[in-house]
Amino acid sequence: MLGMPMRTARLLTAALTMLLMPLVAGPVAAAAPTGSVSGTGDAGFYLPPDPLPDGAAGDVLRAEPAVAPALDATATRVMYRSENATGGPTAVTGTVFVPSQPWAGDGPRPTIVLGPGTQGMGDQCAPSKLTHHAQEYEYLHIVPLLARGYAVAMTDYEGLGTPGVHPYLNRVSQGHAMLDMARAALRLTDRGIDEGTRIGFWGYSQGGMSSAAAAELADTYAPELPVVAAVAGSPPASLADLAVAGDGSLLSGGIGWVVNGFAAAYPQLREELLSVFNPAGRDILARAETYCIYDAPRMNPFFPTTWYTVDGRPIADHLAAEPWASLVHEQQLGNIAPAISTFVAQNTTDDFVQVSGVDTMVGKWCAGGTSVTYRRYGIPPVLTGTGAGHGIGLIPAAVEGMDWMDRRFAGAPDENTCTG
C-alpha cells in the first residue's frame, strides 16, 4: 500500500478484514455446540409444525429468547409463516434484536429488517445459529444499527436452518422472507418491538438483492406494512452478469448454490437443469448443499465452470438458453419500481456484482418514478477474483446508507439522484 493515501489504505484494510472474517470464523462456527438456546433447542426449534397450521403470511409460529453475545440487546429467535417462490406456504426462521438503549428519534423505535449476505446452503449456516455463537459476519451491520437505536429483525431465508434447500438468489422467495419478517416483527410487541414501529429494509450483496426485492414487492405482497425506505448495497441485479463475473473466481463453486436454488424453487425443472452437468459438476452441486460461505476454499476455487458441464461450455452460456433463461429473467431486479425511497450503493470495480447490472436496475427504477439515491464508488481494483472488490464496497455503503436511513426516519426530504 506504499504511496496510497492513508484513508484509502485504512478502507482497504478494513474491507479485506470484513471479507475474510467468515472464512476465518467458519471452522470455529462449524465446531460450535448446537445445544439449546432455550426451550426447544436447535433441533426442535427449526423443525416446523407438519402440516403448517392455517394462517396468514407473517404469522409467528414460535418464538423464544436467544443468546446474543457481545450485544447490548434483547434477542428473540422466531419462526414465522411465509410463501415460497411459487406461492406455497413455508416456515422461515430469524432473529429479532431490540437494543437496551432508548430510541432518541421521534415516534416509536423503528425496525430494520435485515437480509443477510451470502451464508451458504447448509442448515448450520443459518444466521440465527451463527449469531448465537457470535460468528455471524452480519454483526458488521447489526452492531451499528443497534447503536443508533434501531431494532433489527434478521431473516434466515427459506431453507436455511429449516428443512429443504435454500433457494439462493431467488428474488421472490427472498423478498417474501423479508416482508414476512417485517409482519412477524410487528406481532412481537411482547418481545420489545414498539407498537406502531415503522419498517426499513437493509442488506448488502445477497442481502442487497433481498432488500431491493422487498422494496419491489411491498406494494402488492404486503401493502399494509408501514415501510419507510430501503438500503440495497451491491445487489446482484442480474444472475447472468453474476455467472460471468464469478466464473473462475474464489467463489466459482458458488454456482452450486445458484443451481441447487433453482432446482429447489422450481422442482418440476430439476432433472432438466441437472442434465447440463457432468460428474464433476454433480459433485460440486452435492457438496454445495452442505457448505457455508466459509467453506469457499473447499469449493474448487478459481475453477472455470467449463469443467462442470457435459458440453464443456461455461454455465453463462446455458443461462442464456431455456429453461434457464426464463428463470434468470424472473430473478432480475428493476422490472418493478418501488413506491418507497431507496438507497443503492455499488463499487464500480466490484469483482462479483457487475456495476452495469446495478446501473440498469437503477435506471428502470428511476424511469418508473422511484426516488433513488444512487452512490457509485470508484475504488481502485484489488485482488480481482477474490471478492475483495465486492467486500470493499460494503464500508462506504454502510456508512452512507445508515446516515441516509436516519434522515428518512427523521422525515427529511427525499434525496433523489434520478435525472431526466
Side-chain angles (χ1 to χ4, degrees):
M1 296 184 182
L2 292 176
M4 186 180 296
M6 184 60 68
R7 181 173 180 274
T8 302
R10 286 198 298 266
L11 173 67
L12 296 181
T13 300
L16 286 171
T17 300
M18 178 281 303
L19 177 71
L20 296 174
M21 181 183 296
L23 303 182
V24 174
V28 180
T34 57
S36 172
V37 174
S38 71
T40 62
D42 277 358
F45 187 89
Y46 292 93
L47 188 62
D50 185 17
L52 286 180
D54 292 338
D59 283 354
V60 175
L61 300 174
R62 61 175 63 118
E64 64 181 31
V67 175
L71 295 181
D72 185 18
T74 300
T76 300
R77 191 165 57 172
V78 61
M79 175 182 285
Y80 60 95
R81 187 184 179 97
S82 189
E83 290 186 7
N84 61 26
T86 54
T90 188
V92 178
T93 52
T95 312
V96 175
F97 305 93
V98 180
S100 300
Q101 68 185 70
W103 169 246
D106 294 333
R109 183 195 307 275
T111 298
I112 303 299
V113 178
L114 190 156
T118 296
Q119 306 291 305
M121 195 161 273
D123 282 339
Q124 75 277 16
C125 316
S128 62
K129 293 185 177 183
L130 295 180
T131 51
H132 172 45
H133 305 297
Q135 287 152 346
E136 170 53 58
Y137 66 82
E138 284 297 341
Y139 266 47
L140 291 163
H141 288 137
I142 295 168
V143 170
L145 286 168
L146 292 174
R148 291 175 183 241
Y150 295 108
V152 176
M154 179 174 62
T155 180
D156 286 341
Y157 298 133
E158 178 189 352
L160 275 179
T162 51
V165 176
H166 169 48
Y168 180 62
L169 296 184
N170 187 284
R171 179 181 62 87
V172 175
S173 172
Q174 292 175 189
H176 287 175
M178 293 282 284
L179 292 161
D180 291 326
M181 180 81 257
R183 285 167 159 159
L186 292 176
R187 294 164 165 81
L188 293 175
T189 53
D190 61 331
R191 304 279 177 162
I193 296 294
D194 282 12
E195 293 272 6
T197 187
R198 295 164 293 162
I199 301 296
F201 298 126
W202 184 280
Y204 189 87
S205 191
Q206 182 184 5
M209 180 185 190
S210 300
S211 181
E216 289 190 344
L217 297 173
D219 248 15
T220 54
Y221 183 75
E224 82 284 1
L225 285 177
V227 183
V228 172
V231 169
S234 193
S238 166
L239 296 194
D241 289 350
L242 194 67
V244 172
D247 203 330
S249 73
L250 176 64
L251 282 182
S252 182
I255 187 62
W257 293 330
V258 176
V259 174
N260 289 336
F262 276 161
Y266 313 104
Q268 72 277 13
L269 297 174
R270 177 181 175 83
E271 292 309 314
E272 191 173 358
L273 297 175
L274 297 187
S275 67
V276 166
F277 295 91
N278 61 23
R282 297 290 185 114
D283 174 68
I284 196 65
L285 296 184
R287 288 192 284 134
E289 279 199 18
T290 65
Y291 283 172
C292 299
I293 182 64
Y294 49 73
D295 293 306
R298 302 165 58 196
M299 295 176 64
N300 301 354
F302 306 112
F303 276 39
T305 59
T306 54
W307 287 39
Y308 302 138
T309 58
V310 171
D311 61 10
R313 291 189 298 149
I315 193 63
D317 285 4
H318 289 279
L319 296 187
E322 294 298 346
W324 301 87
S326 295
L327 302 183
V328 169
H329 178 75
E330 173 61 25
Q331 314 320 319
Q332 281 184 354
L333 296 169
N335 296 321
I336 303 171
I340 60 172
S341 296
T342 61
F343 176 92
V344 180
Q346 181 65 33
N347 176 19
T348 60
T349 59
D350 191 313
D351 51 347
F352 283 169
V353 176
Q354 295 187 356
V355 67
S356 57
V358 181
D359 288 347
T360 298
M361 179 196 79
V362 169
K364 289 180 177 180
W365 281 1
C366 288
T370 301
S371 175
V372 186
T373 302
Y374 186 25
R375 296 285 184 259
R376 298 166 94 249
Y377 307 117
I379 302 170
V382 56
L383 301 176
T384 300
T386 66
H390 182 60
I392 284 171
L394 180 147
I395 307 300
V399 172
E400 281 204 275
M402 288 186 193
D403 289 343
W404 179 90
M405 187 70 84
D406 287 347
R407 293 193 292 275
R408 302 290 73 74
F409 280 107
D414 276 347
E415 302 167 25
N416 197 342
T417 58
C418 296
T419 58

